[in-house]
Amino acid sequence: MPTVGVLALQGDFREHLNVLTGLGCDTRSVRTIQELDQVEALIIPGGESTTIGKFVVRFGLLEPLRTRIENGMPAYGTCAGMIFMAAAVTEGHQPLLGSLDVVVERNAFGRQNDSFEADLDIAGFDRPFPGVFIRAPWVTKAGAGVDVLATIEGHPVMVRQGRILASSFHPELTNDDRIHRMFIESI
Ligand code: GLN
């Protein structure tokens, strides 16, 4: 099984580590360049993308992360992790990796609807996936190299670009490990 890291600066990284451990991966919390060097793949968790970005910059990880992903390290971002990997956000300025060729709108589902669950049809899955959305973003623009794997009312909420996977929702908060397995199988 591969050695998989979870960026552990802020957010729900423990839940991702638990799923990965349950699947038999060798796991690492990643907070330093040395720890990043030890992993074959990385998950960027949900949380608050502006805070994750700020800590990544403060810990000197922005360029090392960008370079690893550019050089083909598989990466999966959930919610804030997806935002942080994006090329741009529709509003405001915050540190972004720019590895994933999408523009995202933060908190896109609005206040009325800010946390909810929805059964999602995901490309390649034979039954719906329980999507847990918490102040979630959606993709407003995707580059030609980006495959949309799931949508809600026409808005992409799960995408793949080569070895980069991203979802607006939180599979680590469910008992369904199919997306984590799909990610691990891509390593
Ligand atoms: N709304 C958060 C952000 O903009 C993301 C929320 C989450 O990760 N659950 O970063």
Side-chain angles (χ1 to χ4, degrees), residues 149-161:
L149 304 184
T151 58
I152 289 196
E153 289 166 16
H155 304 287
V157 292
M158 181 171 176
V159 295
R160 182 168 47 206
Q161 174 192 318

Side-chain angles (χ1 to χ4, degrees), residues 3 12 52 64 79 133 146 153 161:
T3 303
D12 73 335
I52 292 175
C79 202
F133 291 81
V146 177
E153 289 166 16
Q161 174 192 318

Side-chain angles (χ1 to χ4, degrees), residues 45-50 78-81 83 94 106-107 134-137 168 170:
E48 178 55 46
S49 59
T50 52
T78 58
C79 202
I83 298 167
Q94 61 187 90
R106 296 174 62 198
N107 306 312
I134 305 168
R135 290 183 290 287
S168 301
H170 293 270

Side-chain angles (χ1 to χ4, degrees), residues 85-141:
M85 288 202 295
V89 288
T90 54
E91 260 178 63
H93 289 283
Q94 61 187 90
L96 298 173
L97 280 176
S99 309
L100 177 62
D101 187 14
V102 298
V103 179
V104 297
E105 180 172 345
R106 296 174 62 198
N107 306 312
F109 292 91
R111 240 186 244 172
Q112 305 291 326
N113 219 356
D114 73 353
S115 298
F116 61 97
E117 277 192 54
D119 279 340
L120 293 172
D121 290 320
I122 296 179
F125 286 12
D126 56 6
R127 62 197 151 78
F129 191 92
V132 174
F133 291 81
I134 305 168
R135 290 183 290 287
W138 65 42
V139 170
T140 58
K141 221 193 231 173

Side-chain angles (χ1 to χ4, degrees), residues 29-111:
S29 299
V30 172
R31 296 189 183 87
T32 63
I33 298 177
Q34 290 74 12
E35 286 163 346
L36 180 62
D37 285 343
Q38 291 169 14
V39 304
E40 291 164 72
L42 185 75
I43 291 181
I44 304 179
E48 178 55 46
S49 59
T50 52
T51 309
I52 292 175
K54 214 185 290 171
F55 283 145
V56 164
V57 170
R58 193 178 298 164
F59 282 63
L61 282 171
L62 193 64
E63 276 312 318
L65 267 173
R66 251 185 212 143
T67 307
R68 277 300 300 276
I69 295 174
E70 215 171 83
N71 292 339
M73 175 181 71
Y76 172 34
T78 58
C79 202
M82 163 164 143
I83 298 167
F84 181 58
M85 288 202 295
V89 288
T90 54
E91 260 178 63
H93 289 283
Q94 61 187 90
L96 298 173
L97 280 176
S99 309
L100 177 62
D101 187 14
V102 298
V103 179
V104 297
E105 180 172 345
R106 296 174 62 198
N107 306 312
F109 292 91
R111 240 186 244 172

